[in-house]
Amino acid sequence: MAERPETATGGTAGGGAGVPPGVLDAGLLGAELGERATLVQFSTAFCQPCRATRRVLDDVAALVPGVRHVEIDAEAHLDLVRAVGVERTPTVLILDGRGRIALRATGAPRKAEVLAGLAQAL
C-alpha cells in the first residue's frame, strides 16, 4: 500500500468491554466487520487523497467476497484515532476476520497494493 506498509503492533485499540488490545470490533467502529476482512479507512472532510482511497477500497470490497469497507471520520472519532495511532489521513487498517489489525498504511493506496495486503491478512 502507499508509503510504507508496516505491521501493526496493536497499539491501545480494543481492551474495553472484553475486546483484546489490537482488535477493533463493530462497537468501536460503529459498523459491522467483514466476514473475512475489513478495510478501515480514517478520513477527513477536506482530504483529497481520502476520496481516491474511498473509491479504491469500495472497489476492492466489491471484488473480494467477505470483505467490507468502513470509513471513519477522524475528526468525529478522536478517541479511536488516538487509540489506533492515526497521525494523518488517509490511514488504512486491514483487519482480519476477527478484527485484529493485520496491516496499516498511510496515503492513497493503489488497488493492487490493497489486494496484496488483503492476501497477507487472509
Side-chain angles (χ1 to χ4, degrees), residues 110-121:
R110 293 185 309 243
K111 189 174 186 177
E113 294 170 325
V114 177
L115 289 168
L118 265 175
Q120 289 180 346

Side-chain angles (χ1 to χ4, degrees), residues 40-44 50 72 74 80-81 84 86 89-93:
V40 180
Q41 174 185 350
F42 288 89
S43 300
T44 51
C50 294
I72 305 290
L80 182 57
V81 164
V84 297
V86 172
T89 58
T91 291
V92 177
L93 305 177

Side-chain angles (χ1 to χ4, degrees), residues 9-110:
T9 59
T12 58
V19 179
V23 174
L24 300 175
D25 65 9
L28 289 169
L29 295 177
E32 292 299 315
L33 298 178
E35 192 175 303
R36 296 179 61 206
T38 305
L39 306 171
V40 180
Q41 174 185 350
F42 288 89
S43 300
T44 51
F46 298 104
C47 167
Q48 185 63 33
C50 294
R51 293 182 191 122
T53 299
R54 178 183 311 118
R55 286 189 296 274
V56 168
L57 298 183
D58 280 345
D59 287 350
V60 170
L63 181 67
V64 182
V67 174
R68 183 176 177 125
H69 172 216
V70 175
E71 188 170 359
I72 305 290
D73 179 349
E75 295 169 321
H77 297 90
L78 290 176
D79 287 344
L80 182 57
V81 164
R82 289 182 188 110
V84 297
V86 172
E87 295 180 6
R88 61 178 263 196
T89 58
T91 291
V92 177
L93 305 177
I94 298 180
L95 310 181
D96 68 13
R98 292 178 283 190
R100 290 184 304 192
I101 301 170
L103 293 169
R104 140 191 315 261
T106 58
R110 293 185 309 243

